[in-house]
Amino acid sequence: MPAVVVNTHAGHELDAVSDAVDEVNALKVQIWDSQSEFDSTKDKTTFRQYETACDRVKNFYKEQHEKQTVAFNIKARTEFKSRKRARMGIWQAMEMLNTLVDDSDPDTELSQIEHLLQTAEAIRHDGKPEWMQVTGLIHDLGKLLYLFGSEGQWDVVGDTFVVGCAFSDKNIYPGTFAGNPDFHDAVYSTKYGIYEPNCGLDNVMVSWGHDEYLYNVVKDQSSLPAEGLAMIRYHSFYPWHREGAYTHLMNEKDHAALEAARAFNPYDLYSKSDEPCDIEKLRPYYQDLIAKFFPSEIDW
């Protein structure tokens, strides 16, 4: 039997390559929360200009602020658990959503699928991990609620806020909350309301809409990490992740969620532009990416 010749030099080379791969993979794990780069040349003062927004946007927020009550939020969460609205894949859901125009958004008139692709492409441009790319791709799919029979857009889109305690003056158009019956409630109008100090956001009702809906849809039907789920659940919670409101309700776990929401926000907000994406060109890449984190169909 011929002797087995062991190439020790090749073994060292393999070790070196393996170590280099491990180092790159470690960097990939860390890179999701690094500073965004794609938006370095954008004039960010032109985004979220609600004081100069059109009447459509202002009227939307007045209705949302008046109707998002504790009673409604309990009802919405109960109804979510009571029925299945559809069963379909992620890309099919994106195509279904494409008929919606978001009345709360002053920054773009592009279709929903183009915004999703713009967000995902900005994340990919900055070399973020695949789970964050797919999070960007799906983050607004909860807006399907509107097509599934919501009460309006006010319970689907727009900035979110806590119900069950005093409405923060960090919310946009804070004066419009005066029309909400909870504004005058003896308990709901206090600092902590129905909550305990530092009880944690898992124990708080943030106003029902596409964030909370999609979070509940994907949390048990995907392999997204906790950071991706936090990005989905809180990306519209601007008074919290942008303005610093509601910190008195946070626990230790919520600090990691806040970091994730802040890391995701530039890609959601500043990727919006009037330049359309080539949907068919991008489709194969993102369909392959979706398959890494989702089954072919999920329940909605």
Side-chain angles (χ1 to χ4, degrees):
M1 179 181 293
V4 176
V5 178
V6 178
N7 186 338
T8 56
H9 179 67
H12 290 310
E13 286 182 343
L14 178 62
D15 287 342
V17 171
S18 180
D19 289 344
V21 169
D22 289 342
E23 183 177 351
V24 169
N25 286 336
L27 288 172
K28 284 182 178 178
V29 172
Q30 298 168 357
I31 201 171
W32 69 267
D33 60 350
S34 60
Q35 182 71 35
S36 61
E37 298 174 4
F38 81 100
D39 56 338
S40 60
T41 60
K42 288 211 171 189
D43 180 5
K44 296 170 185 174
T45 63
T46 63
F47 292 83
R48 288 183 62 81
Q49 293 299 306
Y50 284 102
E51 293 309 316
T52 58
C54 65
D55 287 343
R56 169 176 62 86
V57 174
K58 292 179 179 178
N59 291 337
F60 162 82
Y61 274 106
K62 182 177 186 297
E63 183 178 23
Q64 185 207 42
H65 290 175
E66 291 176 350
K67 292 183 176 179
Q68 284 276 1
T69 62
V70 168
F72 169 76
N73 274 267
I74 293 173
K75 172 174 168 282
R77 284 161 170 81
T78 301
E79 288 182 351
F80 167 77
K81 297 174 182 177
S82 67
R83 66 187 180 95
K84 181 170 71 176
R85 293 152 185 83
R87 183 168 179 80
M88 59 183 162
I90 295 295
W91 193 272
Q92 183 182 356
M94 290 167 60
E95 292 177 329
M96 182 178 178
L97 182 64
N98 213 31
T99 60
L100 175 68
V101 176
D102 185 343
D103 283 345
S104 70
D105 193 344
D107 293 326
T108 184
E109 296 293 333
L110 283 181
S111 68
Q112 294 296 313
I113 196 169
E114 286 174 317
H115 169 55
L116 294 177
L117 287 167
Q118 284 178 345
T119 304
E121 280 292 278
I123 294 169
R124 181 158 70 131
H125 175 275
D126 277 1
K128 304 297 184 180
E130 290 182 335
W131 66 260
M132 190 169 175
Q133 295 174 39
V134 80
T135 296
L137 185 70
I138 72 165
H139 75 281
D140 272 348
L141 285 184
K143 293 178 182 180
L144 285 170
L145 265 178
Y146 184 69
L147 304 179
F148 290 148
S150 66
E151 297 197 14
Q153 288 208 20
W154 62 267
D155 58 335
V156 178
V157 298
D159 287 11
T160 56
F161 47 88
V162 176
V163 300
C165 66
F167 298 113
S168 172
D169 61 4
K170 301 293 186 181
N171 290 303
I172 58 172
Y173 308 134
T176 57
F177 284 105
N180 187 311
D182 291 356
F183 183 85
H184 308 282
D185 185 271
V187 176
Y188 301 157
S189 62
T190 61
K191 179 179 180 179
Y192 290 100
I194 59 177
Y195 309 115
E196 296 294 330
N198 306 115
C199 60
L201 294 183
D202 281 341
N203 300 306
V204 167
M205 284 193 295
V206 178
S207 55
W208 179 258
H210 71 283
D211 297 39
E212 186 70 12
Y213 167 67
L214 185 63
Y215 165 76
N216 279 283
V217 167
V218 304
K219 66 178 182 177
D220 297 322
Q221 298 190 90
S222 75
S223 58
L224 290 176
E227 294 87 355
L229 295 175
M231 291 171 183
I232 289 168
R233 192 177 198 181
Y234 298 122
H235 71 271
S236 301
F237 196 10
Y238 276 88
W240 177 60
H241 67 65
R242 187 182 180 96
E243 303 297 336
Y246 304 114
T247 54
H248 58 291
L249 300 174
M250 292 172 61
N251 62 16
E252 282 303 312
K253 175 186 173 184
D254 295 327
H255 289 282
L258 179 59
E259 183 180 1
R262 286 177 171 168
F264 179 74
N265 179 246
Y267 299 101
D268 181 21
L269 181 58
Y270 302 129
S271 65
K272 297 173 183 176
S273 72
D274 292 328
E275 292 299 321
C277 294
D278 187 335
I279 296 172
E280 289 308 310
K281 181 179 179 181
L282 294 173
R283 179 172 179 157
Y285 173 80
Y286 284 107
Q287 284 187 317
D288 288 345
L289 194 62
I290 290 165
K292 293 182 179 182
F293 296 91
F294 288 91
S296 59
E297 292 183 338
I298 63 173
D299 292 330
W300 297 85

